[in-house]
Amino acid sequence: QVQLVESGGGLVQAGGSLRLSCAASGRTFSNYNLGWFRQAPGKEREFVAAIRWSGGSTYYSDSVSGRFTISRDNAKSTVYLQMRSLKPEDTAVYYCAARGRFAVRNEHEYDYWGQGTQVTVSS
């Protein structure tokens, strides 16, 4: 089993920045593809960003491209999501996911999920 714990969420003003972290434990981390997803109230979970286990390839949704950056530190078993120029529409619960397979934009490709952290962006 793999346990994932997100942190760093909170309330920020539009245009501000926030950095989310997701720490993993329990299994080998460095070989896992990792992703971030989010879910707003009344909406389905959507893909945000992903990174291959090697760190050489990253992927972003159109809505966050150019504003968000995903990175990983295998020595610390942690994946990050640096969010800049935040907008009210970014408000959602953000989840990290681990052990993604080749289709990293698809939530069904991941085996493990964190509990989520709330991000609220005020106007």
Side-chain angles (χ1 to χ4, degrees):
Q1 295 288 338
V2 172
Q3 293 80 46
L4 304 174
V5 180
E6 301 98 334
S7 62
L11 175 64
V12 298
Q13 294 182 331
S17 298
L18 204 61
R19 189 193 194 199
L20 305 183
S21 299
C22 176
S25 64
R27 296 278 293 275
T28 301
F29 178 84
S30 61
N31 295 130
Y32 289 172
N33 297 324
L34 303 168
W36 285 96
F37 294 78
R38 67 186 183 186
Q39 187 169 24
K43 297 184 178 180
E44 295 184 348
R45 183 179 294 170
E46 66 174 345
F47 169 77
V48 176
I51 185 168
R52 296 285 183 188
W53 68 268
S54 66
S57 298
T58 57
Y59 310 84
Y60 300 93
S61 68
D62 291 341
S63 62
V64 308
S65 180
R67 299 187 298 120
F68 291 10
T69 302
I70 187 171
S71 62
R72 65 190 295 164
D73 186 338
N74 289 344
K76 297 180 179 180
S77 297
T78 301
V79 60
Y80 305 95
L81 185 68
Q82 178 66 56
M83 304 182 292
R84 298 179 294 274
S85 301
L86 284 163
K87 305 174 181 179
E89 52 262 43
D90 294 318
T91 296
V93 176
Y94 284 71
Y95 301 89
C96 67
R99 202 176 180 182
R101 294 169 174 84
F102 80 98
V104 294
R105 288 181 167 89
N106 188 341
E107 64 179 314
H108 301 296
E109 294 290 291
Y110 293 85
D111 291 329
Y112 304 104
W113 294 83
Q115 292 296 115
T117 185
Q118 177 71 49
V119 172
T120 302
V121 184
S122 62
S123 60

